[in-house]
């Protein structure tokens, strides 16, 4: 909800009861993952405070248990560490922090690009590059060269998108809606999550399968849905940080179509519901294929979409006074 003077407006939210109804399956390894993440942050101190570590570890461990509920314990931990690393980097170096010192973000990103290019191990005193080096080595050992290169490419795209976002976050009115829609899946990390799915769940599409229109359309629908859901869930917390309007879908819909915030939320919610219907249709079509990589991919994308729906109920998204972490990814 949002408040204007003494009036309170309940902002409309999308309804996924027909397309992604809960409750969602969860991995039995969630608590183990949470303990392992806390230990990993002792080795790589990515976050500045115990409170920030606790909140981010909690949402990450419970979130990944819904993202890949059938993954084995060690693969789930590896993926959780990657997602934690991405979110911590954005919390510490991205968004509003980066808007105040964009050069620092560019320098941090250059350090990480060297790691992605296969450079020498960075010192442990530089925790983000050191942790990324560790993660990449373990993913490389876990999978084949093609899947590893897809994951590394998605990480490069995400880092580039975070720099783009930081450049525009203070002046969202300068961003074209079409550009934002293309960039948002990267800044919400869903393209990296999709790339990781084949590694974590131990299947691999052929090049021919990857090029199929139904596969590409389903991936795009899930990627769009992830970013738009996040925009609606995090809008009020982002707006409370001010002073600019958030760089998000409701802001850009108002710039494009006019109207008030409630109307923008209604329009964005309709977009979410339509995209959820497209995703559900694609999942149903591919999942009915006999046991195959296509069916496995459809089920993975279904769980990824479910996890983004689930995330909006976590305290991290429940308004400025309840959200305890810096950003709202």
């Amino acid at each position: 909800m949002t408040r204007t003077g003494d009036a309170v407006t309940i902002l409309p939210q999308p309804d996924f009861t027909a397309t992604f109804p809960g409750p969602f399956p969860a991995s039995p390894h969630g608590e183990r993952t949470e303990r392992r993440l806390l230990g990993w942050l002792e080795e790589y101190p990515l976050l500045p405070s115990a409170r920030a570590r606790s909140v981010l570890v909690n949402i990450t461990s419970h979130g990944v248990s819904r993202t890949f509920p059938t993954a084995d314990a060690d693969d789930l931990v590896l993926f959780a560490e990657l997602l934690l690393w991405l979110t911590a980097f954005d919390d510490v170096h991205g968004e509003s922090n980066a808007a105040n010192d964009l050069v620092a973000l560019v320098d941090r990103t250059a350090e990480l690009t060297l790691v992605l290019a296969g450079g020498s191990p960075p010192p442990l005193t530089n925790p983000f590059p050191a942790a990324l080096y560790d993660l990449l080595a373990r993913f490389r050992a876990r999978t084949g060269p093609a899947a590893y290169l897809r994951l590394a490419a998605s990480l490069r795209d995400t880092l580039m998108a975070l720099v783009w976002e930081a450049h525009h976050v203070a002046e969202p009115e300068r961003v074209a809606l079409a550009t934002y829609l293309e960039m948002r899946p990267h800044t919400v990390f869903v393209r990296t999550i999709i790339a990781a799915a084949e590694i974590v769940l131990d299947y691999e599409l052929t090049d021919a399968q990857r090029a199929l229109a139904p596969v590409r359309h389903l991936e795009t629908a899930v990627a769009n849905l992830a970013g738009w859901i996040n925009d609606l869930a995090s809008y009020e917390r982002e707006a409370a940080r001010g002073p600019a309007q958030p760089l998000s879908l409701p802001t850009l819909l108002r710039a494009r179509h006019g109207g008030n915030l409630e109307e923008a939320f209604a329009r964005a919610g309709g977009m979410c519901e339509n995209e959820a219907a497209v995703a559900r249709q694609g999942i149903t079509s591919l999942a009915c294929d006999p046991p195959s990589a296509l069916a496995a991919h459809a089920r993975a994308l279904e769980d990824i979409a479910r996890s983004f729906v689930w995330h909006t109920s976590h305290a991290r998204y429940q308004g400025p006074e309840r959200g305890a972490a810096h950003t709202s990814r």
Side-chain angles (χ1 to χ4, degrees):
M1 64 182 176
T2 187
R3 181 179 294 275
T4 304
D6 291 330
V8 175
T9 300
I10 304 297
L11 295 171
Q13 297 293 328
D15 181 2
F16 300 115
T17 54
T19 49
F20 293 98
F24 303 138
S27 168
H29 308 303
E31 291 185 6
R32 177 182 182 271
T33 300
E34 188 164 6
R35 292 193 301 270
R36 292 282 295 273
L37 289 179
L38 288 169
W40 192 67
L41 286 179
E42 292 293 326
E43 185 177 359
Y44 299 104
L46 306 177
L47 293 163
S49 71
R51 178 175 174 78
R53 290 192 294 273
S54 175
V55 171
L56 190 52
V57 163
N58 180 267
I59 192 172
T60 301
S61 59
H62 288 280
V64 300
S65 75
R66 289 160 175 83
T67 306
F68 298 130
T70 62
D72 73 31
D74 289 339
D75 286 335
L76 190 67
V77 167
L78 178 58
F79 170 70
E81 289 170 352
L82 178 64
L83 191 60
L84 179 69
W85 180 88
L86 276 168
T87 312
F89 181 78
D90 189 44
D91 281 5
V92 173
H93 295 301
E95 286 200 350
S96 58
N97 287 344
N100 296 326
D101 192 354
L102 189 57
V103 172
L105 175 61
V106 172
D107 288 343
R108 300 293 81 74
T109 301
E111 293 173 345
L112 300 175
T113 301
L114 292 175
V115 176
L116 285 164
S120 301
L124 286 175
T125 52
N126 200 348
F128 280 101
L132 179 61
Y133 186 90
D134 167 66
L135 288 167
L136 292 176
R138 290 157 62 205
F139 271 105
R140 193 183 298 112
R142 172 68 180 79
T143 192
Y148 172 78
L149 289 174
R150 283 192 295 272
L151 181 67
S154 76
L155 288 168
R156 289 190 185 94
D157 289 344
T158 292
L159 292 172
M160 184 272 289
L162 292 178
V163 173
W164 171 87
E165 179 182 56
H167 179 66
H168 290 291
V169 70
E171 298 181 286
E173 65 278 2
R174 295 178 55 196
V175 177
L177 177 61
T179 302
Y180 181 78
L181 296 178
E182 289 296 323
M183 297 299 287
R184 184 55 173 142
H186 299 294
T187 61
V188 81
F189 313 146
V190 67
R191 287 294 186 185
T192 294
I193 295 171
I194 292 172
E198 295 179 56
I199 302 172
V200 175
L201 299 178
D202 197 22
Y203 70 90
E204 187 168 6
L205 299 178
T206 66
D207 289 342
Q209 289 172 327
R210 204 178 307 282
L212 290 172
V215 173
R216 292 185 288 105
H217 293 161
L218 174 55
E219 289 182 350
T220 297
V222 170
N224 287 339
L225 188 60
W228 302 348
I229 289 172
N230 185 280
D231 279 354
L232 297 182
S234 63
Y235 184 91
E236 290 183 86
R237 292 188 61 244
E238 296 290 327
R241 291 214 308 266
Q245 293 185 80
L247 175 56
S248 72
L249 185 59
T251 297
L252 298 181
L253 289 176
R254 289 184 75 182
R256 165 71 70 88
H257 299 286
N260 59 31
L261 184 59
E262 186 176 4
E263 291 167 335
F265 260 69
R267 189 183 297 273
M271 291 171 61
C272 286
E273 291 169 1
N274 290 339
E275 206 74 349
V278 171
R280 172 51 61 194
Q281 182 178 12
I283 290 163
T284 301
S285 175
L286 291 177
C288 70
D289 197 64
S292 66
L294 281 176
H297 196 54
R299 289 191 295 269
L301 288 164
E302 178 177 34
D303 285 326
I304 290 168
R306 286 169 168 170
S307 73
F308 276 92
V309 174
W310 172 85
H311 270 78
T312 63
S313 64
H314 193 276
R316 182 173 167 94
Y317 293 85
Q318 302 304 309
E321 68 283 357
R322 291 179 61 189
H326 171 65
T327 65
S328 52
R329 298 271 183 241

